Amino acid sequence: MASGLFRIGEDLGGGMLRLVSGITDEAERLLNETTLRVAITGLSRSGKTVFITSLIANLMAMGRGRQTLPALTAQLAANGTALRSVQLEPAGTQSLDWFDAADKLRDLAGTTPHWPPRTSDLASASLTLSLERSGPARILGARRVRLELLDYPGEWLLDLPLLDQDFAQWSAETIALLSTPPRLEVAKDFLDFIATLDAAAPADEAVARRGHRLYLTLLEQARDRFGLRWLQPGRFLRPGPRGESPMMWFFPLPGAGSAPSGSLRDLLARRFAAYRDDMRQNFFDPWFARFDRQVVLVDVLGALWAGQGAFEDSRHAVAQIAAAYDARSRSRWFGLSTLKRVGFVASKADHVPAAQRPALEALFASMMATPGEDRRTTTHRAIAALRCTEDATHDGLPVVLGVPLGEGRRRPFRPGHIPTTAPPAGDPFWSRPFFELPALRPPLIDPDGRDGLPNLGLDALLSWLLEDAL
């Protein structure tokens, strides 16, 4: 009897110790650890994968004592703290793909350097920054800031406005857009096809599939031939590992009011609704509610060099994305939102000489300007996450020096005039021939990234993005 009571007392005592230990660990985490969830996306070909790779490599190098991010170092010093170490967490048991920065570095620094492949699905990586406290707070030990990075295809972000639309609204807006240049040039076959259809006729799967293929083809041509970016639905162009499913076999079809049950328009409307609900339930709702910070990258130079149509299309796309972060959209998808800062970034700033970078940033800010915008929570910057050029002069003019992919020698390049605001329609600017910089080779870097990666403005962006948390 006594031994039984002793065992019961021993079990209770052990349980209490474990409970106290658990409470102590949780209290320590609450006191010393801050978790920030940073979502990173970008319009097509904006350099998002390289941005995340550079962010990780430079933070890791900073943790080893390298001066890779001086603005962030200065900010920590101003706050009376210093970076002790940075640890990249192992993949663990997460359900998402792991963003393998080391693999991307090997692409960039290989025998034949090349840019890593584009994002096709959700991926994540986590780093922990250990910060040394100063003054009396030192007794609490090191403070930890844990950065959870979420990488996702920018094409998917373009579907955010679809959550507020029904099939008839989306079809009307899309067909109106297809009927104007430059889309009209690649949309003729599709528009001719839907003009022959009776929307109220019984659904025919062969017709639905043909219409979907024609619509997908015009989206691909609009992207590849004209550099357009406002292309919906986004998953048509970047379906992810699940690939194409029957709910995606739809296309815009005119018509108002309720579609007759069993008709072609009814089938397309039901597939549109299924696609919209799938994006909401499996992407926007579970992930957007978790974001603390958001970075959106845009290839402004690529749009500018592609001409007025591509530039205006990109401007429309980023305006729609910016609108997705206003109070109305947050109240629906974010609830009591934790989203505190959104950074809109014009990438590839190293493709223009230093004297023209302020103009590039001003041009981007003019594209993004929205009434009532809060500069404390939103910023617009021009950066290069991985700098692959050097500034120089050639024939008395400022240029950048870079090595084109497939070549072995540096050459001078000058992108031409960068306006500070978007020239209006009919402006002579749009009638001039545009000089597009070739794809440039990554710089020579350490394949392990021990000394970080050369960049322009990445440290200032990170300093602003993390300011309140540091």
Side-chain angles (χ1 to χ4, degrees), residues 5-47:
L5 289 173
F6 178 78
R7 284 195 300 273
I8 292 172
E10 190 177 49
D11 291 343
L12 287 173
M16 288 297 292
L17 286 173
R18 287 192 295 273
L19 177 61
V20 170
S21 176
I23 292 173
T24 302
D25 291 345
E26 182 62 25
E28 193 277 336
R29 279 194 295 272
L30 289 172
L31 188 64
N32 289 329
E33 186 169 295
T34 300
T35 296
L36 295 181
R37 298 176 178 92
V38 184
I40 301 164
T41 190
L43 297 187
S44 179
R45 299 171 183 171
S46 59

Side-chain angles (χ1 to χ4, degrees), residues 210-254:
R210 174 163 170 72
H212 170 73
R213 296 310 304 174
L214 285 170
Y215 182 66
L216 176 59
T217 297
L218 80 84
L219 291 180
E220 292 170 340
Q221 291 180 342
R223 177 193 63 194
D224 298 338
R225 288 181 56 185
F226 300 118
L228 303 187
R229 296 294 178 260
W230 181 245
L231 304 169
Q232 293 176 305
R235 262 174 60 194
F236 279 23
L237 293 171
R238 186 65 51 176
R242 288 190 294 170
E244 187 180 282
S245 58
M247 71 176 177
M248 298 170 67
W249 298 340
F250 65 87
F251 55 89
L253 188 66

Side-chain angles (χ1 to χ4, degrees), residues 66-262:
R66 307 296 198 272
Q67 290 300 313
T68 54
L69 300 169
L72 193 58
T73 300
Q75 184 181 74
L76 290 171
N79 292 340
T81 188
L83 185 66
R84 176 191 287 180
S85 65
V86 177
Q87 180 180 356
L88 180 63
E89 298 180 11
T93 59
Q94 66 185 45
S95 59
L96 297 181
D97 284 349
W98 189 51
F99 187 93
D100 191 346
D103 185 57
K104 317 296 187 209
L105 280 171
R106 285 190 289 272
D107 287 339
L108 294 168
T111 306
T112 305
H114 61 277
W115 301 100
R118 298 165 59 194
T119 300
S120 61
D121 193 15
L122 293 168
S124 68
S126 298
L127 302 100
T128 298
L129 283 62
S130 179
L131 306 175
E132 189 73 52
R133 285 186 167 105
S134 62
R138 290 174 65 92
I139 195 173
L140 299 174
R143 179 165 171 255
R144 301 183 300 278
V145 176
R146 187 169 182 271
L147 299 181
E148 293 183 357
L149 308 178
L150 179 69
D151 171 29
Y152 65 94
E155 289 88 347
W156 297 7
L157 188 60
L158 297 176
D159 287 347
L160 186 55
L162 294 183
L163 304 192
D164 272 338
Q165 293 183 310
D166 61 23
F167 179 69
Q169 291 172 314
W170 174 74
S171 291
E173 291 181 9
T174 302
I175 291 171
L177 200 58
L178 295 178
S179 303
T180 59
R183 282 175 173 79
L184 182 58
E185 187 172 334
V186 294
K188 188 176 184 304
D189 288 346
F190 173 76
L191 293 175
D192 288 346
F193 172 75
I194 63 173
T196 67
L197 300 180
D198 178 0
D204 184 329
E205 190 62 66
V207 172
R209 293 295 301 278
R210 174 163 170 72
H212 170 73
R213 296 310 304 174
L214 285 170
Y215 182 66
L216 176 59
T217 297
L218 80 84
L219 291 180
E220 292 170 340
Q221 291 180 342
R223 177 193 63 194
D224 298 338
R225 288 181 56 185
F226 300 118
L228 303 187
R229 296 294 178 260
W230 181 245
L231 304 169
Q232 293 176 305
R235 262 174 60 194
F236 279 23
L237 293 171
R238 186 65 51 176
R242 288 190 294 170
E244 187 180 282
S245 58
M247 71 176 177
M248 298 170 67
W249 298 340
F250 65 87
F251 55 89
L253 188 66
S258 299
S261 178

Side-chain angles (χ1 to χ4, degrees), residues 26 35 154 163 207 220 271 297 314 329 335 341 357 365-366 381 386 401 431 435 466:
E26 182 62 25
T35 296
L163 304 192
V207 172
E220 292 170 340
R271 285 178 173 170
L297 289 93
S314 291
S329 61
R341 300 206 170 193
R357 288 172 202 146
S366 73
R381 297 170 185 262
L386 178 59
L401 300 176
S431 62
F435 173 72
L466 306 178

